[in-house]
């Protein structure tokens, strides 16, 4: 069973890792539901572009991942508009860096809601559909910070650890169904957001681009290379393939050796 003709819902997918995953799954023949919190013409144009390039169906559905009812509505709208939901990729996430005593409570709540609680709501909505269809894949984009920690990222680290734990729980609850649930734990990935941070980091440290990348951004990544969105997309595609039918309840690190330390 391939993923050609399957429908994949990817949260937070109009840029970065989410878009890379959507592109790879479309390349493999899956129909795509893109998502973010905006509702601009370019969001819908992006879906049309993917559809045209890969000869699949692709739509964009706005949903705020900080609101549980909108998370569930995303999945239900995808089912209504596409006819099925076979693959759910929980990718939406935000970050904030501050000492815990200075961490704004409202920012903590928002990070936990978007990075972790949204995956609860979307998964709860998707599992009955997958069971009815007789097949399903849930892939949660966690982080190396779902397996280890860094200072000043209390909400993000907490949320990503929670995503890893929830992935294991969902895997156990679906163990006798033809449904799997796993988490991917990327290290630093070269996304447009990270790329935009490099010039300011160069100024901050007074160092050239390559030194900043190697000694600052990738200080904890032993390979000294960014992971790519294409590599994350390929890992997702593997988890959705027949080769991964018995891969469930686990984490796959794509982190250049970060969590081997």
């Amino acid at each position: 069973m391939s993923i050609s003709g399957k429908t994949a819902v990817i949260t937070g997918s109009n840029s970065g890792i989410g878009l890379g995953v959507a592109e790879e799954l479309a390349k493999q023949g899956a129909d795509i539901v893109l998502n973010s919190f905006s509702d601009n013409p370019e969001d819908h144009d992006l879906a049309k572009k993917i559809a045209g390039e890969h000869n699949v169906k692709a739509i964009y559905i706005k949903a705020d991942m900080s609101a549980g009812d909108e998370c569930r509505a995303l999945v239900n709208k995808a089912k209504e508009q596409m006819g099925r939901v076979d693959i759910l990729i929980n990718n939406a996430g935000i970050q904030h860096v501050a000492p815990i005593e200075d961490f704004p409570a409202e920012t903590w709540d928002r990070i936990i809601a978007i990075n972790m609680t949204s995956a609860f709501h979307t998964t709860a909505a998707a599992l009955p559909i997958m069971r009815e269809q007789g097949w399903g894949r849930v892939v949660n984009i966690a982080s190396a910070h779902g397996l280890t920690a860094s200072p000043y990222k209390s909400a993000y680290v907490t949320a990503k650890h929670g995503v890893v734990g929830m992935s294991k729980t969902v895997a156990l609850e679906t163990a006798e169904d033809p449904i799997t649930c796993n988490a991917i734990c990327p290290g630093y990935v070269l996304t447009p957001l990270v790329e935009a941070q490099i010039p300011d980091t160069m100024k901050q440290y007074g160092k050239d681009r390559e030194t900043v990348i190697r000694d600052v951004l990738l200080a904890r990544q032993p390979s000294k290379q960014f992971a790519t969105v294409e590599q994350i997309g390929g890992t997702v595609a593997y988890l959705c393939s027949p080769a991964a039918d018995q891969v469930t309840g686990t984490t796959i690190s794509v982190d250049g050796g970060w969590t081997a330390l």
Side-chain angles (χ1 to χ4, degrees), residues 32-168:
I32 300 299
V33 177
L34 297 178
N35 154 262
S36 190
F37 61 88
S38 57
D39 196 13
N40 302 316
E42 50 265 36
D43 295 322
H44 297 275
D45 289 343
L46 187 56
K48 293 176 184 176
K49 178 175 177 288
I50 290 174
E53 287 180 353
H54 301 288
N55 194 30
V56 298
K57 297 177 184 176
I59 62 172
Y60 176 86
I61 300 177
K62 173 187 179 295
D64 180 355
M65 291 293 103
S66 69
D69 57 346
E70 292 196 33
C71 296
R72 292 175 185 252
L74 167 64
V75 174
N76 293 325
K77 287 178 182 177
K79 172 69 161 57
E80 291 170 7
Q81 296 184 39
M82 303 293 274
R84 56 191 305 117
V85 173
D86 305 282
I87 298 166
L88 172 64
I89 313 299
N90 288 306
N91 168 75
I94 59 172
Q95 174 65 288
H96 183 77
V97 179
I100 197 162
E101 67 270 23
D102 299 325
F103 213 100
E106 63 275 13
T107 303
W108 168 279
D109 291 342
R110 185 164 176 78
I111 291 174
I112 295 298
I114 293 173
N115 293 33
M116 183 179 72
T117 309
S118 66
F120 159 71
H121 288 293
T122 55
T123 303
L127 286 182
I129 299 171
M130 293 176 177
R131 285 194 172 104
E132 182 179 352
Q133 293 168 173
W135 190 89
R137 295 287 185 268
V138 179
V139 181
N140 295 318
I141 306 301
S143 168
H145 281 120
L147 302 172
T148 185
S150 293
Y152 312 121
K153 298 180 179 180
S154 55
Y156 188 85
V157 170
T158 299
K160 293 303 186 179
H161 272 69
V163 166
V164 168
M166 183 164 56
S167 301
K168 295 178 182 180

Side-chain angles (χ1 to χ4, degrees), residues 175-251:
E176 294 189 28
D177 300 309
I179 298 169
T180 65
C181 180
N182 295 285
I184 296 174
C185 296
Y188 274 102
V189 181
L190 189 57
T191 63
L193 185 63
V194 171
E195 182 68 48
Q197 295 172 358
I198 293 175
D200 287 341
T201 308
M202 290 168 61
K203 292 177 184 177
Q204 179 184 352
Y205 286 88
K207 297 180 178 180
D208 62 77
R209 176 185 171 89
E210 293 307 313
T211 302
V212 159
I213 289 173
R214 181 178 179 84
D215 296 344
V216 180
L217 296 179
L218 298 179
R220 295 183 67 183
Q221 200 142 308
S223 68
K224 300 305 178 184
Q225 297 180 53
F226 287 108
T228 67
V229 296
E230 291 81 9
Q231 289 164 351
I232 306 301
T235 307
V236 171
Y238 159 70
L239 288 172
C240 295
S241 76
D245 281 350
Q246 289 299 310
V247 180
T248 193
T250 193
T251 59

